[in-house]
Amino acid sequence: MVNLRAILKHPEDLYPLVKLKLAARQAEKQIPAEPHWAFCYSMLHKVSRSFALVIQQLDTDLRDAVCIFYLVLRALDTVEDDTSIASEVKVPILKAFHSHIYNSEWHFSCGTKDYKVLMDEFHHVSVAFLELGKGSASYVVAWMVITVLFCSYQEAIENITMRMGEGMAKFICKEVETVDDYDEYCHYVAGLVGLGLSKLFHASGKEDLQYDSISNSMGLFLQDLKYEENSVKSVQCLNDMVTNALTHVEDCLKYMVALRDPAIFRFCAIPQIMAIGTLALCYNNIQVFRGVVKMRRGLTAKVIDRTKSMSDVYGAFYDFSLMLKSKVDDVDPNARKAKDNLEKILKLCRESGALGQRNSYIIQSKPQYNATMV
């Protein structure tokens, strides 16, 4: 339920919130009738409602592939996160997970709540995976031509699942002790997601294959921050992690500029704007350790509704970077590095020439609607 106080404070959020609610209902109505696809899309709505909405930007064949890619990696992550599984059992499963997706009878009971359902009924995901790339006769002919040039959806998902499983298995047996360890682990669990999506976009025939380095940055920028509470030092550690994430922004912008397909562009751009917005909220914020810190639903709805072009992306990155810059405390050990990274982002946005082509909905001097109208 939308918070009435938030609507009164930000009445301009009402319209995009209503549109988002209607879009969510429409997405739920579009769940396929086939049992395995119905399970996959229903499960996607349960484990990530926001992703289930963003994925609607894509055409049907690519949407199906990305849905399965997401659920396969969610299942892999569920195995890794389940602390009740002994390492000698967990490691072989992680390493072999890429082969299990071809077995429509395989499942492994672990996890909790919706994730347990996903694992118990994983055979539905496997059946859907095995159908990727199949369609009408004319589509199959076209697909046969495409696969001569491009990696298939199945090959892309298998490859990334194998590499991620190997990486996760490595860190089951090894602690993250250094910055290099942290960067390597993040590559396995987040950077590879970016590489996988690039492979899927390429397999669809709609996009060129992006360089691994910038695809990796697209995934890393979306990586969730992890924290440990320890007063001042914990906030400084948090700030260091945000500062590190900002180094990937330039690659992310390059990646999005190169996208040709409007649907793929929106699918990529919306989460990236959400990521920079979340970083701006989390930076130097002790509340991160005391509860959930995330963008208000109205602002999220605006991002989904209004992200149409690179002008919108540059504008959002510019505004959120300004917001983040205003929170940098000069006494923080990484203050200089944070400011340098932010200045670089602001410069990129200014030099794009796109800032004058949009109206900011992130930083506003006054609301667009009178509160009484609500």
Side-chain angles (χ1 to χ4, degrees):
M1 181 65 66
V2 178
N3 188 302
L4 180 59
R5 182 178 297 176
I7 289 294
L8 291 173
K9 186 175 181 181
H10 301 279
E12 71 279 2
D13 289 355
L14 182 60
Y15 178 62
L17 277 169
V18 171
K19 288 187 68 175
L20 183 63
K21 184 67 174 178
L22 293 175
R25 290 181 178 177
Q26 183 63 26
E28 290 174 357
K29 290 179 181 178
Q30 293 177 341
I31 292 176
E34 299 92 334
H36 49 288
W37 284 110
F39 173 84
C40 290
Y41 277 99
S42 296
M43 187 55 59
L44 186 65
H45 280 273
K46 291 177 181 177
V47 299
S48 180
R49 290 185 63 84
S50 58
F51 188 80
L53 283 173
V54 174
I55 202 176
Q56 296 301 317
Q57 312 302 320
L58 302 174
D59 293 337
T60 303
D61 66 315
L62 182 55
R63 181 168 67 238
D64 288 346
V66 173
C67 173
I68 299 306
F69 181 55
Y70 184 91
L71 291 177
V72 167
L73 297 190
R74 271 292 187 182
L76 184 66
D77 187 59
T78 300
V79 175
E80 183 202 26
D81 286 346
D82 194 328
T83 57
S84 69
I85 306 173
S87 295
E88 58 268 25
V89 176
K90 181 181 294 187
V91 169
I93 293 175
L94 293 172
K95 289 184 175 181
F97 208 92
H98 66 285
S99 62
H100 294 318
I101 60 180
Y102 285 94
N103 182 354
S104 59
E105 296 182 358
W106 184 87
H107 62 90
F108 181 76
S109 185
C110 65
T112 60
K113 300 179 180 179
D114 289 328
Y115 300 102
K116 186 178 188 307
V117 177
L118 172 63
M119 297 305 300
D120 286 343
E121 302 189 40
F122 190 78
H123 60 280
H124 288 304
V125 180
S126 295
V127 172
F129 168 79
L130 293 171
E131 287 187 0
L132 291 177
K134 298 179 181 179
S136 65
S138 60
Y139 178 78
V140 171
V141 172
W143 182 253
M144 289 172 65
V145 175
I146 290 174
T147 51
V148 174
L149 301 174
F150 305 120
C151 166
S152 75
Y153 290 145
Q154 292 177 353
E155 290 171 331
I157 294 172
E158 177 191 3
N159 175 262
I160 296 302
T161 305
M162 178 183 68
R163 293 163 66 181
M164 188 177 291
E166 288 283 350
M168 287 177 169
K170 177 179 180 178
F171 281 93
I172 293 296
C173 308
K174 174 185 177 181
E175 293 291 331
V176 176
E177 297 177 342
T178 67
V179 173
D180 287 342
D181 290 341
Y182 173 76
D183 287 342
E184 183 182 3
Y185 177 74
C186 287
H187 164 71
Y188 289 131
V189 301
L192 285 175
V193 177
L195 268 68
L197 289 173
S198 291
K199 288 178 180 291
L200 294 178
F201 299 157
H202 184 54
S204 74
K206 294 180 172 70
E207 297 291 350
D208 295 329
L209 187 61
Q210 298 270 19
Y211 289 114
D212 282 359
S213 58
I214 62 174
S215 296
N216 185 63
S217 288
M218 283 287 284
L220 289 175
F221 195 60
L222 299 176
Q223 167 72 344
D224 293 335
L225 302 175
K226 299 183 185 295
Y227 335 95
E228 292 183 7
E229 184 168 7
N230 186 17
S231 190
V232 175
K233 287 189 176 180
S234 64
V235 173
Q236 291 178 349
C237 180
L238 167 64
N239 292 347
D240 183 44
M241 296 173 78
V242 173
T243 301
N244 182 58
L246 293 174
T247 62
H248 300 294
V249 169
E250 183 174 6
D251 280 347
C252 293
L253 293 173
K254 286 180 182 177
Y255 187 103
M256 289 183 280
V257 165
L259 294 173
R260 301 191 305 257
D261 184 83
I264 292 176
F265 170 79
R266 277 177 49 78
F267 171 78
C268 292
I270 290 169
Q272 294 294 326
I273 292 176
M274 299 287 291
I276 186 71
T278 302
L279 292 178
L281 291 175
C282 289
Y283 189 87
N284 212 30
N285 188 351
I286 190 64
Q287 295 304 318
V288 166
F289 305 100
R290 297 171 180 169
V292 178
V293 174
K294 60 182 180 181
M295 289 170 56
R296 71 178 192 274
R297 289 184 63 188
L299 187 52
T300 297
K302 284 182 182 177
V303 170
I304 294 174
D305 182 48
R306 302 186 186 184
T307 302
K308 303 286 196 302
S309 67
M310 276 306 299
S311 295
D312 302 316
V313 172
Y314 281 121
F317 269 73
Y318 186 83
D319 287 347
F320 279 125
S321 295
L322 283 178
M323 184 187 301
L324 205 160
K325 186 180 177 183
S326 70
K327 298 171 68 177
V328 177
D329 189 339
D330 288 335
V331 302
D332 188 279
N334 284 291
R336 184 69 268 158
K337 183 179 177 183
K339 287 184 176 180
D340 288 344
N341 288 346
L342 289 166
E343 281 298 335
K344 190 172 184 179
I345 297 169
L346 292 169
K347 184 172 183 286
L348 286 169
C349 294
R350 285 193 295 266
E351 291 179 348
S352 72
L355 296 183
Q357 301 174 26
R358 99 301 178 212
N359 293 320
S360 174
Y361 57 87
I362 297 165
I363 299 176
Q364 294 178 314
S365 58
K366 60 181 180 179
Q368 295 177 327
Y369 305 105
N370 189 299
T372 308
M373 291 174 60
V374 177

